[in-house]
Amino acid sequence: NVPICMHIHNDPNYFFPKFLQKLGRKKILRLSKVVYCVSEFVKQRMLSGIEANNAVVIYNAINIAKKEALIKNRKKQIIYVGRITKDKGALYLAEALKTILSQYPQWSAKFIGSLPNNKTVANDFINIINQLPDQIIYEGVKNHEYSMQQFKES
């Protein structure tokens, strides 16, 4: 018996069809020694309607002491790396960036990742970013090294 520890970054209900959501979350909680959630929201969604005490919040962390050194000489650029899908929030981010970046011309954004098979979602995304072609750039799928370099520069 190896203890299982899960680390949940998103709403756990996305893992399951609607009619299996509670059952699926119960099974995860029952089989896991601990379930780490990145926010109180994710924890509440995990425990919704279930009595369990093995879900805890551990926030994504940043070392504040190194923050100033990290941001010097960086490009004013926002990077998104991942699948360009609604459930990942890429369309919402693109829409928000369209509004915000138009007020900050010195900033830009890059989207790195694959477009969805759903042509409507792909077209919606392309239509949003085409409204600010000099500031919002879609680069497609890139390798890990390239993505990491973009993070370092941004």
Side-chain angles (χ1 to χ4, degrees), residues 120-135:
T120 302
V121 174
N123 289 335
D124 287 350
F125 173 75
I126 297 300
N127 289 335
I128 293 167
I129 67 168
N130 281 343
Q131 293 177 43
L132 279 178
D134 294 332
Q135 286 182 277

Side-chain angles (χ1 to χ4, degrees), residues 30-52:
R30 185 173 47 81
L31 295 174
S32 300
K33 179 177 181 178
V34 65
V35 176
Y36 298 108
C37 304
V38 297
S39 68
E40 193 61 42
F41 169 80
V42 171
K43 178 182 175 185
Q44 288 173 359
R45 297 290 288 175
M46 187 70 190
L47 295 175
S48 180
I50 301 171
E51 285 194 35

Side-chain angles (χ1 to χ4, degrees), residues 71 73-78 107-108 110 150 153-154:
I71 61 174
N73 302 320
R74 294 280 180 103
K75 293 180 182 175
K76 292 183 177 184
Q77 178 173 266
I78 298 165
W107 280 81
S108 65
K110 280 187 185 176
Q150 294 304 303
E153 293 173 5
S154 299

Side-chain angles (χ1 to χ4, degrees), residues 3 13 45 65-66 78 83 86 110 113 128 147:
N13 289 314
R45 297 290 288 175
K66 294 182 180 179
I78 298 165
R83 289 179 290 122
K86 274 189 175 181
K110 280 187 185 176
I128 293 167
S147 298

Side-chain angles (χ1 to χ4, degrees), residues 61-68 70:
I62 198 166
N63 185 338
I64 300 299
K66 294 182 180 179
K67 179 182 160 219
E68 290 301 317
L70 289 173

